[in-house]
Each structure stands twice: as C-alpha cells, then as structure tokens.
C-alpha cells in the first residue's frame, strides 16, 4: 500500500504537490486480520502474495502480528495506491496481483483452518467465487460468517446474502449493491431492509463518523449505534478496523448483544482514525480502555 498526503485530492489531468509519501501494509482482509490479532484473537489469513520484496515484507509483517498465513506465487503482490487529503478523506486504486490467484484448491488445503474457526471473515479483494466457497465451507461446519462486500460489485452473486450470518457494508458499498444512495440514517434503513429481503440474516451499514445502522431478521426495527466524536487524521482502513474488531467480539464474547459488540467495535475504529496510516493506526488491546474487554 502506497500512501500520499496532499491538502486536497487532484482533479482529472491535474498535478498537485503532496507533503508526505510512505509505503505501508494494507489490503482489506489483512487489515481486518491484523486488527483482530492486536485485540488478542488467534488469527489465520488465507491469502497469496508474490515472491517479490512486497510479498516477503508482508509475510514478515503478518508474523510480527502473530498471524499464521499462506503462500507465495509468481505473480506480483497486490498493491493499493491511496491519496489522502487534509480532511482525512481518501481515493484508492487497487491492483490485485497475486490475490486473484487464490483458488478453491487453496481453500481445500486450508479447510482445517476454516472449519475449526469460531468466525470466518471474507471480502471481495480475491475472486468472488472463492470467497463464496469459503463462506459455504464455514457454514457447513457451523462457523459464524462475517462478510464485507468490499470492493463492492453491482452484480454480487445472490448466494452471498444467504451464506453471510452478518453482512457488513459501508455507505458506498450499500449504494453499489442496492442503487440507494446513503445520505442519512433513513437511507441506511432502506438498504438494510432490501438486503434482508435478499436473504441476509443481519445487516450492518457503517456510516463513518455517524457510527452504524443494524437491522436483522430477529430485530426488524433498525437500530442506530452512534460512534463517539473524535478528530479524524486519516480514515483509511477504519472500516477494516471495525470489521476486525467485530470478528474478535463474535469469537471471544459471543454472549454480548450485537448492539454492544458494534458499540465496542465503533470505539476501536474511532481510535484508528486518530493516527495516520492503515495497520500502523490500529490499536493494541493494552492501549485501549479495559472496559472494552
């Protein structure tokens, strides 16, 4: 992941001066995994990286975070170029590289890891059919499934809705999936209802600084779970911090209400936006208020 900091985002054909450039570790699945691990979860990441300097560094980074992980391949390691403005807003271009080489044979080799997990988290930075197969394997073994449809696809396979115990998307993803622009809580509720109709059991729409909206088959009255007010330095990866935290609570505190899990996950994600970078901004358990645990 390459980061560039500028006062504002450039327009088409425009060159502007930035004031900082850095290379860090990213990728939605890896980010979520790192946040879970830093909270104390035992995590594994099923992934592919390239046999290049980025790939070698990445495997090392995962080891440092206590994450057991997959294999290398001859393709280039996936990268994302991110431009962040002074308000903390960002634009991102992803080149998936080796990510797209992860296949169903790899899942079979990792079936032990999947089937013995408490929670499986999937995204769409690998081939969607592979994510779907992983969700099916988890469901067949009674493993809780948390699906984050990011980057979103307008023509998402409808089976994703039925195989996800928890379906968690942000406003942009919600609009791509449903065609409903999410500008406020009412819009998020409309999205939630539509996704329940498509077969989801529980839907969470993350709303940035506004927190989250949750709705489920069991609790069809939508609930707004607000986030605490903080000064955002860099919002990159905040959604992944939220998903990683939620996965941690689902696995280790299954008796908590969903509303309480979301509230605690909001707190953790709001810590992450107060520092720059993605994984570098993710808090460790020891640095958080202990009432979160």
């Amino acid at each position: 992941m390459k980061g560039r900091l500028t006062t504002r985002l450039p327009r088409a054909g425009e060159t502007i001066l930035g004031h900082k450039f850095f290379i860090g570790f990213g990728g939605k699945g890896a980010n979520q995994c790192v946040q879970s691990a830093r909270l104390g979860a035992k995590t594994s990441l099923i992934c592919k990286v390239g046999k290049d300097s980025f790939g070698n560094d990445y495997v090392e980074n995962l080891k440092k975070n206590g994450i057991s992980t997959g294999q290398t391949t001859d393709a280039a390691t996936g990268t994302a170029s991110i431009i962040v403005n002074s308000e903390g807003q960002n634009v991102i271009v992803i080149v998936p590289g080796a990510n797209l080489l992860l296949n169903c044979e790899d899942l079979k080799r990792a079936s032990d890891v999947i089937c013995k997990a408490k929670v499986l988290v999937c995204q769409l930075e690998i081939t969607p059919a592979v994510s779907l197969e992983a969700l099916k394997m988890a469901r067949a073994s009674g493993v809780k499934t948390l699906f984050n449809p990011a980057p979103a696809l307008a023509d998402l396979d409808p089976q994703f809705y039925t195989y996800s115990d928890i379906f968690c998307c942000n406003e942009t993803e919600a609009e791509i999936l449903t065609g409903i622009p999410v500008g406020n809580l009412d819009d998020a509720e409309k999205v939630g209802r539509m996704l329940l109709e498509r077969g989801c059991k529980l839907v969470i729409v993350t709303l940035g600084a506004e927190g989250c909206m949750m709705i489920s088959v069991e609790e069809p009255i939508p609930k707004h779970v607000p986030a605490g007010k903080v000064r955002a330095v860099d919002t990159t990866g905040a959604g992944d911090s939220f998903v990683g935290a939620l996965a941690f609570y689902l696995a280790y505190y299954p008796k908590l209400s969903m509303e309480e899990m979301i509230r605690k996950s909001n707190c953790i994600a709001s810590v992450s936006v107060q520092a720059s970078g993605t994984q570098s901004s993710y808090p460790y358990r020891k640095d958080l208020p202990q009432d979160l645990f």
Side-chain angles (χ1 to χ4, degrees):
M1 181 188 81
K2 299 192 246 319
R4 297 166 176 77
L5 302 183
T6 67
T7 40
R8 63 178 177 79
L9 303 177
R11 288 189 287 274
E14 184 186 23
T15 302
I16 62 173
L17 277 177
H19 52 268
K20 190 178 173 193
F21 173 83
F22 61 91
I23 295 178
F25 297 105
K28 294 179 195 302
N31 292 344
Q32 293 162 9
C33 199
V34 165
Q35 182 62 88
S36 287
R38 289 186 179 183
L39 298 176
K42 181 174 183 287
T43 58
S44 300
L45 181 63
I46 300 164
C47 66
K48 270 196 177 158
V49 295
K51 286 179 186 149
D52 50 24
S53 61
F54 284 153
N56 299 335
D57 291 349
Y58 218 126
V59 171
E60 205 43 51
N61 171 56
L62 292 169
K63 280 184 189 152
K64 275 188 195 137
N65 279 284
I67 296 163
S68 65
T69 189
Q71 56 196 117
T72 58
T73 181
D74 292 327
T77 299
T79 56
S81 292
I82 303 176
I83 302 174
V84 182
N85 72 7
S86 50
E87 268 77 66
Q89 304 306 116
N90 60 54
V91 290
I92 305 177
V93 179
I94 293 168
V95 181
N99 289 9
L100 296 183
L101 297 181
L102 191 74
N103 59 34
C104 291
E105 287 306 305
D106 299 317
L107 290 188
K108 285 199 188 91
R109 282 195 284 276
S111 65
D112 209 41
V113 174
I114 295 171
C115 300
K116 288 183 176 159
K118 288 268 195 297
V119 178
L120 173 81
V121 187
C122 287
Q123 319 74 22
L124 294 172
E125 283 186 335
I126 58 171
T127 308
V130 180
S131 270
L132 182 57
E133 183 57 31
L135 292 169
K136 288 179 176 178
M137 286 166 70
R139 173 66 61 84
S141 296
V143 176
K144 216 173 201 28
T145 54
L146 170 54
F147 178 57
N148 173 221
L153 296 171
D155 56 348
L156 187 68
D157 186 320
Q159 294 181 92
F160 274 106
Y161 302 112
T162 47
Y163 280 96
S164 307
D165 292 316
I166 296 163
F167 191 96
C168 179
C169 57
N170 68 14
E171 309 106 302
T172 319
E173 291 143 13
E175 179 177 352
I176 292 167
L177 293 166
T178 65
I180 301 169
V182 179
N184 55 40
L185 210 51
D186 288 345
D187 298 335
E189 290 171 8
K190 281 186 204 129
V191 164
R193 288 197 183 92
M194 186 182 285
L195 295 177
L196 290 186
E197 280 165 21
R198 291 184 189 176
C200 291
K201 288 191 190 58
L202 191 152
V203 176
I204 299 169
V205 181
T206 60
L207 304 164
E210 299 307 311
C212 299
M213 185 285 313
M214 63 172 272
I215 187 168
S216 67
V217 173
E218 285 173 15
E219 293 188 39
I221 296 164
K223 262 196 184 131
H224 177 217
V225 187
K229 289 276 168 277
V230 295
R231 178 169 155 62
V233 172
D234 182 359
T235 60
T236 314
D240 295 333
S241 170
F242 175 85
V243 170
L246 185 59
F248 165 79
Y249 285 113
L250 288 164
Y252 289 86
Y253 295 87
K255 299 266 192 305
L256 285 178
S257 71
M258 182 51 61
E259 188 176 354
E260 192 55 23
M261 288 187 200
I262 291 173
R263 193 188 66 74
K264 289 177 187 297
S265 301
N266 275 345
C267 288
I268 289 162
S270 69
V271 171
S272 82
V273 303
Q274 296 175 70
S276 61
T278 305
Q279 291 174 20
S280 53
S281 72
Y282 289 178
Y284 289 85
R285 184 176 186 139
K286 66 176 171 49
D287 301 323
L288 289 160
Q290 287 313 295
D291 62 354
L292 288 173
F293 308 98

